[in-house]
Amino acid sequence: MMRENTESWRTISRQFDGISLNMGVALGQAVLHQSTEMALSPSDKKINSDRVEEELNRLDQALEHLNYEIQNLVTNNKTSESSRLQTKIASNKNKNDSAEILEIYLLLAKDPGWKNKLRDKIKSGCDALEAVDQTLNTIRPKLASKESQPHWQERMSDFEDISNRLKRHLITSETQPQQNRKASEPIIIVADRIGPAELLEYDRNSLKGLILVEQSHTSHVAIVARSLDIPVVGGLKNIMSEITPGDSLLVDGNEGRVYVSPATELVEQLDDKLVERKGRPLDQSATPSFELAETLDGVHITLLLNAGLVEDVDHIESAGAEGVGLYRTEIPFMMRPKLPNVAEQTHLYKEILNRAGKYPIVFRTLDVGGDKVLPYLERLKSEMPIVDRRSSRVVFDRPILLRYQLRALIRACAGRELTIMLPMVAEVSEVKATRELVEGEIEREREKGNMVPTQVRLGAMIEVPSLTWQLPQLFSYVNFLSVGSNDLFQFFYAIDREYPRLSDRYDALSLTFLRLLKSIQEQCQVAHVPLSLCGEMAGRPLEALALIGLGFKTLSMSAAAIPHVKKMIRSLTYQQISDYMTNVCGFAQANVRQSLLNFARDHGVCLN
Ligand code: PEP
Ligand code: MG
C-alpha cells in the first residue's frame, strides 16, 4: 500500500506499508533483482540471426569480466572468493603452488580455442548461456575419458568452475544492465521472485536489506535473510513498478515499511537503528542469554538454534541456546560456485564443530531441490519443484551426493559424536537405506585405518504427512525425530510455502494441524523417542506457547527468536497451558489463535 507523506519534511519521500519478515532498519541503493531462472528460461536459448551480433558482444563483455575477475584473484589474495579458491588449492595435494593454479585458471579463461567454440555455437543459433552449456557438454566427455588420471579430473572441475563463473557474468550483464554501482555501496534488493542461492550471490558486505513482492515467513529466502541478519519487508504487490534501480531506499523491518527517497530528517530519526551487521550483538533485551528457559513451575524447555551460515554457530551462547537443533547444510553448498568435494566438506564441517565448541550440532543432510537450487546442479531443476525432486528424493537419485556428504561428516566427527538428520522422509525404507549407507561409510573408514565417530545418532524430519502414519515402524530406525513444520504445514494443506496466496486461509494454529502435532508428540513420548520441532513456528511466541502446551519440550529456531520465546516461557505456568491445550484440542472450533491470545492475556504470559 502506497502512502504519500503529508508532513512537510516528508513530502518528497514515498512510503509503502507491507509486512515485516525480519526486523532491523537499513538504508541503501535499490537493485531490482531479476530471477536467473527467468534469464535462463528455455525460450531464450534459441536466437534468430539478427540477435547473433548482440549475443557475441554479450559474450565478449562477459569474457572480459571473467578475465578481470580471475586476474584480480591472481593479484589480490585477500578477497573471500580468493581465499575460498586458496582453500581448494591448499586441499589439493597434487599442487603445491597456489599461484600456479590461479595462472591455470587465467589461461583457461583466456583460451582462444574455448572462445572460438563459444562463438561458433552462438553463430549456429544458441544464445550465449546455452553456448557455454553446450561447449561444456562437448568437452566434458573428452576430459572424462581420461578419468583415471587425476590431473584431467582436476582440469574438468576447473573448467566447470570457469564455465559457471562465465555464466554468472552473462546473467549479471543481462539482468542488471543499468545498475552501475561501486562494489562497496550498500544495496537493498527488491525482488518479485528470488531464491536463497540467488540472494547469497550478492556481496554480503554490500547487501543491507531485502524487499519482496511475496510475503512468506517460511520461504527459504526469508529464512536465509534472517541468517544474514538483514531487515526484510514483504507483501508489497506493486513495488517492482514503483522503484527505479539506484533509488535511495530505507527499509524499516521493525514496522514492515519501505521509504523511497527518504528525507534526511527521517534517516536521521532512524539513524541509531540503522543496521550495522558485522559484530552487532544479538538483541538480548527480551531475556539475557544466561537466563534459563524454565517455566514458573520449573519445567525446562530446551531451546536450540537453527543455523545455515557458518557464522550462525557463533551465536549459540550469546542467543542463550543449548546447541544447534538444525544445521541446514545446503546453505554452504549454495554459496559455492561448484559442488564441494569430500575434503572441502570435511573442512567445512570441522570448522562448524570447532566454532560450536562444547555445544551439540544436528547436521541435516543436503536438502536441495524446490526453491533451493544449486546453480551447478541445474539438471536437477524440476517442473514441479515443491513436490518432486527434493532432498532425499534428489539424493536417492544421485546417491553419490549423500555418500560423499556422509563420508565428510564421519571424517569431521572422528573421535566424537555425530548427529545426522534426514529431511523430507516419506517412507521408512528411506531411513533404513540411509542407515545402511552410514554403516557402509563407517566400515570403509575403519578399513582405511581412520578414526570414526564415537557414536552416530540418526534422526528423521517429519515433513511429509505420509510419515506420520508410519511412526511405530520408524521408531526402530531412528534415534530422534524433528518436526519440520514449514514443510509439514505446506504438504498438509497443499499450499506452496514460497507463494502463500492462500496463507490467510490456513493457520498453523488450526486445530486440525495442532491435532496432528499432538498425535506425533504422544506417540514419540510413549516410545521414548526424543522429539523436537524446528520449523519457523517454534520461533513465534504464540505458536511456541501452543507447542509447549501440546508437550513439545525441545524447540529449534533462529538466534533472534530465542530471547523472545524464552521470555514467554519464563512467564508461563506449564501445567496451565498443558491443561488448556488438552482441553482445547477436543473443541469443535477451527482455530485457537484468538483463544490462545486470551489465555496469554488472562495468565500474564509475555508474548513480545
Ligand atoms: C521445515 O520444513 O520446517 C524445516 C525446518 O526445514 P526447511 O525450512 O529448511 O525446509
Ligand atoms: Mg523442510
Side-chain angles (χ1 to χ4, degrees), residues 246-273:
D247 274 354
S248 165
L249 298 181
L250 191 126
V251 185
D252 185 346
N254 303 342
E255 301 294 334
R257 194 164 283 167
V258 171
Y259 299 91
V260 182
S261 310
T264 324
E265 292 86 341
L266 177 61
V267 176
E268 279 169 7
Q269 200 186 48
L270 290 170
D271 206 23
D272 56 333
K273 294 192 190 130

Side-chain angles (χ1 to χ4, degrees), residues 220 364 367 390 461 463 484 486-487 497:
H220 285 118
R364 187 200 36 207
D367 185 11
R390 235 190 91 184
M461 292 184 78
E463 304 191 283
N486 303 336
D487 278 314
R497 64 190 267 189

Side-chain angles (χ1 to χ4, degrees), residues 218 220 223 326 328 330 364 367 372 390 461 463 483-488 497 534-536:
T218 59
H220 285 118
I223 291 170
L326 165 67
R328 294 179 162 103
E330 63 279 5
R364 187 200 36 207
D367 185 11
K372 290 189 271 193
R390 235 190 91 184
M461 292 184 78
E463 304 191 283
V483 175
S485 55
N486 303 336
D487 278 314
L488 187 61
R497 64 190 267 189
C534 60
E536 294 303 294

Side-chain angles (χ1 to χ4, degrees), residues 141 210 427 466:
L210 177 65
E427 289 282 351
S466 63

